[in-house]
Amino acid sequence: MTSQNSKTSNRWLQPRRVTVIAMHTFTQLVRMKVFYFLSVFALIVIAANFLDLPQFNGPEAIGVGELQMLKSTCMGVMKLFAVVFVIAATALLLPKDVEDRTLYTILAKPVPRLDYLVGKIAGVLLLVFVSLLLMDLLMTVVLSFRTNHLLVDQLSWAEARGWTQEAIDSERRDIIAQGPTWSFQGAVFAIFLQSAIIGAVALLLSTFSTSTLFTIILSFLIYLIGHFQADAADYYKATAEAGSNAFTTTMTKLLSLIFPNFQLFNVIDAVIEGIPMTMNAIISLTGLSLFYVVLYTMLSWFVFSDKEF
Amino acid sequence: MKFYRKIITLFALLLLAGTVKKPWEAAIGADLRHDKLLSEPLNLTTRESIGQTSSAVALGGLRSVVASFWNIRAYTSFEESNWVKLEDQYETIVALQPHTAYYWDTGSWHLAYNAAVSSRENENFPAPRREALHRTYINKGKAFLERGVKNMPGNWILLSSLGRLHGTASKYPDYEKSAAAYQQAWETGKARNFEARAWFYSLARCEGKDREALHLGRALFIADKNRVDTLCCLLFVLEMRQKNARPIEELVKLCFTSHADALRMLEVYKTNNAENLPITGVDHAIEWLKSVQNK
């Protein structure tokens, strides 16, 4: 009976055990005062709200541009925060557990190393998710306020000039499309998905790296390579046809096989321009992110499984 | 397992996974491009012009942020009347965000209006050179806006701006292009009544399109909201131009609410005609209206 209990408790990916590790990681990161960043974000959002664009062509040309400016500034800050935070936090986790000797205590118990790694990455992702949610909430409130303000201003302006009902309705639709839409929420979710992948990459690197700084720098490099590799592949494909050397072409192909294509997550630019994000796009990106997170976590486990401390 | 053997195995596994994900990523990329959710990659010239830092930020998926800041920078160039720099900056901005109408519209306005007029009034250049620069910047503004329209074909604001630019008398007008742009703007179903009237005004100034303009003017005149002074006067002029035109009294009754209104509107129409709208018969009509008033 005891042996059976022991076998059950040693089974991989026990939800309760993973949740305990994830919540511990979450608390550990919260204690690092990361949420202080939110006050900085609030200031940026409020400042961006007062940003005015040069007006030359009547208010109808300006309103949508102002909303786009507000969205692009805030989304940029959100993305920057999510990426910097997920890389730094993940790179710090394992060295900090070794330094605090928490890792020895955990691994001395019947905790499979896979559960430990999954719990750690889940804790980081939970914190990024909560942070993005709070920033999204703040952003949505400010954007709603600005959108409503513009709607009142521009529609009364349009009515005063005797626009047709169709023109007024179209103006209303154009302004609302730039406000807090579901596509906008989808774009924030895409930021989270991208962060999850780069977090999993950082986890993999930290399992064999001996320096936190090295992990952080390499993770950022991979983040940039991930954005650049699709362009590079296109470029070398074109030059290969014109007779460029085979070595660079092969290297680019290898890079594109090894590193994730982060350009696919650049849908936020289109959403800022007011193009609606389809459910199909969200599902595809979620599936791809899940694939990467599982792949890099499993590879982390492969490296970490017999690592000696 | 030895560390190095492990790393080699790791790379082998990554390559294996890569062969699975590559076609998947390609399919997602194609879908996203089809839905216009992904922009074309940045070209080398744009990367060079935005500099290393901005390029890294843009590569990091923050093109819209870089474009926003470049738009603010371009405003400084406008304040400093640095038109060469401003032109480069707007080329970069629209390369970063090709689907934002505001950037196309603003860039074209800076070139065709601000840069053109500023160059014409720049006394550092001799007169012929000033005139040449003036024309060059107007043409650049038009070309820039035409590229914007090609990028965003259904955008009524860009089409309307193009119509205005081609239809402004001081901007080397091409009334046929102006009428076509206004017509397209109106046909999007999103534009204001103004675009329909502006289409009529441009059409009336095209060589040999009198009949077409008259039909459009009559159709627009039916709606009360279109009966603005310019439209009433222009319709009156086009009716007067017809070979078998109706008597002047009848036409005044048709196009205006009263003789007094007709006289006031036609006098303003004639004196404020900076846009070179046709004025055939206006003098005659004014004289007739005055004589009627004096009786």
Side-chain angles (χ1 to χ4, degrees):
Chain A
M1 188 74 179
T2 319
S3 140
Q4 201 170 0
N5 273 348
S6 154
K7 267 183 193 167
T8 316
S9 65
N10 272 332
R11 207 185 291 151
W12 291 331
L13 295 176
Q14 270 210 353
R16 198 164 165 268
R17 192 163 47 210
V18 172
T19 310
V20 168
I21 298 171
M23 289 317 290
H24 171 260
T25 310
F26 182 79
T27 318
Q28 195 182 2
L29 291 168
V30 170
R31 283 185 188 144
M32 289 181 189
K33 300 185 172 59
V34 284
F35 284 125
Y36 280 15
F37 173 82
L38 289 175
S39 52
V40 180
F41 179 75
L43 279 177
I44 294 171
V45 174
I46 292 164
N49 184 39
F50 291 107
L51 207 65
D52 279 333
L53 287 176
Q55 190 161 329
F56 66 94
N57 211 7
E60 75 275 16
I62 215 84
V64 164
E66 277 181 6
L67 291 178
Q68 284 181 350
M69 275 281 262
L70 176 67
K71 282 194 293 181
S72 65
T73 311
C74 297
M75 292 278 249
V77 177
M78 281 162 91
K79 191 167 183 178
L80 201 66
F81 166 79
V83 171
V84 170
F85 178 76
V86 82
I87 290 177
T90 317
L92 273 173
L93 280 180
L94 291 187
K96 194 161 174 23
D97 273 5
V98 174
E99 196 185 311
D100 297 347
R101 298 183 178 275
T102 325
L103 184 72
Y104 306 128
T105 320
I106 296 171
L107 295 185
K109 293 180 191 299
V111 176
R113 292 189 177 200
L114 179 63
D115 290 26
Y116 171 76
L117 289 175
V118 172
K120 283 284 160 190
I121 191 74
V124 176
L125 294 187
L126 182 63
L127 192 82
V128 174
F129 186 77
V130 171
S131 306
L132 279 174
L133 200 68
L134 291 173
M135 286 192 276
D136 184 24
L137 215 71
L138 187 65
M139 170 77 210
T140 305
V141 169
V142 173
L143 192 61
S144 303
F145 170 77
R146 188 68 181 257
T147 310
N148 288 336
H149 185 74
L150 263 171
L151 269 175
V152 172
D153 261 15
Q154 300 207 1
L155 296 187
S156 54
W157 181 90
E159 274 167 21
R161 270 152 190 82
W163 284 25
T164 58
Q165 195 52 46
E166 290 92 340
I168 293 174
D169 289 344
S170 124
E171 181 74 3
R172 184 185 285 116
R173 274 196 304 275
D174 282 355
I175 296 174
I176 289 172
Q178 296 295 340
T181 55
W182 284 112
S183 292
F184 177 76
Q185 309 303 332
V188 177
F189 187 60
I191 296 178
F192 171 72
L193 293 176
Q194 198 176 16
S195 311
I197 299 176
I198 195 68
V201 170
L203 182 75
L204 171 62
L205 292 174
S206 69
T207 53
F208 59 80
S209 149
T210 48
S211 145
T212 308
L213 198 60
F214 173 78
T215 309
I216 292 176
I217 292 170
L218 206 60
S219 302
F220 272 112
L221 262 177
I222 290 176
Y223 179 70
L224 280 182
I225 292 170
H227 276 97
F228 178 67
Q229 52 109 339
D231 292 357
D234 285 348
Y235 175 74
Y236 284 120
K237 194 180 164 198
T239 49
E241 282 155 16
S244 85
N245 77 52
F247 177 73
T248 43
T249 314
T250 315
M251 284 308 290
T252 319
K253 273 184 187 161
L254 282 178
L255 279 181
S256 66
L257 286 178
I258 292 175
F259 297 111
N261 182 359
F262 283 128
Q263 260 192 19
L264 298 175
F265 295 85
N266 286 353
V267 288
I268 68 164
D269 278 329
V271 172
I272 288 169
E273 287 170 348
I275 296 165
M277 191 159 169
T278 56
M279 188 44 85
N280 189 31
I282 297 174
I283 293 169
S284 304
L285 291 176
T286 308
L288 190 67
S289 310
L290 209 64
F291 168 79
Y292 276 123
V293 172
V294 171
L295 171 73
Y296 291 130
T297 310
M298 296 312 282
L299 291 176
S300 306
W301 175 52
F302 170 69
V303 179
F304 193 64
S305 58
D306 56 0
K307 189 168 180 171
E308 287 178 15
F309 296 95
Chain B
M1 201 187 277
K2 285 249 167 69
F3 180 73
Y4 292 109
R5 200 179 296 166
K6 207 158 210 180
I7 296 294
I8 291 165
T9 317
L10 187 78
F11 270 102
L13 289 171
L14 275 172
L15 283 174
L16 195 70
T19 52
V20 176
K21 62 103 183 176
K22 195 86 204 297
W24 188 11
E25 277 182 344
I28 293 177
D31 281 351
L32 294 177
R33 278 203 176 85
H34 177 261
D35 294 339
K36 293 187 175 166
L37 281 163
L38 271 191
S39 309
E40 287 307 310
L42 278 186
N43 60 36
L44 223 55
T45 324
T46 310
R47 272 182 210 159
E48 277 166 11
S49 63
I50 61 178
Q52 281 186 334
T53 315
S54 297
S55 187
V57 178
L59 271 177
L62 299 169
R63 281 190 191 197
S64 48
V65 182
V66 180
S68 294
F69 286 108
W70 272 71
N71 186 42
I72 293 168
R73 273 194 206 179
Y75 195 73
T76 312
S77 304
F78 159 56
E79 284 179 325
E80 292 167 353
S81 304
N82 191 343
W83 307 119
V84 178
K85 193 171 172 187
L86 181 132
E87 190 186 347
D88 275 353
Q89 284 167 330
Y90 272 98
E91 285 295 340
T92 305
I93 292 167
V94 296
L96 287 165
Q97 283 217 277
H99 299 296
T100 301
Y102 173 78
Y103 294 138
W104 289 108
D105 205 7
T106 315
S108 143
W109 170 68
H110 277 309
L111 293 171
Y113 292 81
N114 300 322
V117 174
S118 163
S119 304
R120 195 183 56 196
E121 287 168 8
N122 188 344
E123 291 184 355
N124 295 326
F125 295 120
R129 177 119 167 70
R130 273 192 265 161
E131 201 42 54
L133 274 173
H134 175 244
R135 184 185 276 270
T136 304
Y137 275 117
I138 289 172
N139 288 337
K140 278 185 177 186
K142 285 178 183 174
F144 193 81
L145 202 50
E146 274 163 1
R147 275 169 53 209
V149 168
K150 257 187 201 163
N151 255 283
M152 306 180 72
N155 190 289
W156 73 268
I157 291 181
L158 289 185
L159 285 164
S160 175
S161 294
L162 187 64
R164 183 169 50 248
L165 191 49
H166 278 307
T168 305
S170 58
K171 304 282 174 202
Y172 307 102
D174 182 334
Y175 295 118
E176 291 210 10
K177 281 187 180 174
S178 169
Y182 277 127
Q183 183 183 0
Q184 282 180 56
W186 176 245
E187 283 170 357
T188 60
K190 296 174 179 176
R192 307 160 291 183
N193 286 319
F194 169 77
E195 273 64 37
R197 295 197 297 268
W199 169 23
F200 169 53
Y201 303 154
S202 292
L203 205 57
R205 285 175 288 177
C206 292
E207 288 278 329
K209 298 235 173 173
D210 271 20
R211 289 276 339 144
E212 210 180 313
L214 184 63
H215 284 307
L216 178 62
R218 281 175 182 164
L220 290 173
F221 189 76
I222 293 169
D224 277 348
K225 57 197 164 200
N226 280 328
R227 291 184 185 178
V228 296
D229 293 9
T230 311
L231 188 129
C232 295
C233 293
L234 184 57
L235 183 64
F236 176 78
V237 169
L238 293 181
E239 293 281 11
M240 291 263 290
R241 268 186 181 181
Q242 297 306 299
K243 272 185 188 162
N244 302 318
R246 281 182 274 183
I248 197 163
E249 190 175 359
E250 221 175 286
L251 286 179
V252 167
K253 216 178 246 179
L254 178 84
C255 299
F256 304 99
T257 45
S258 67
H259 283 181
D261 270 353
L263 182 61
R264 179 187 54 80
M265 282 156 67
L266 285 170
E267 275 179 338
V268 173
Y269 178 80
K270 191 193 154 198
T271 37
N272 293 352
N273 192 14
E275 288 307 322
N276 294 335
L277 289 164
I279 50 166
T280 323
V282 172
D283 281 336
H284 174 60
I286 289 173
E287 271 173 35
W288 182 82
L289 283 162
K290 277 182 180 167
S291 67
V292 170
Q293 217 172 29
N294 290 336
K295 272 181 192 172

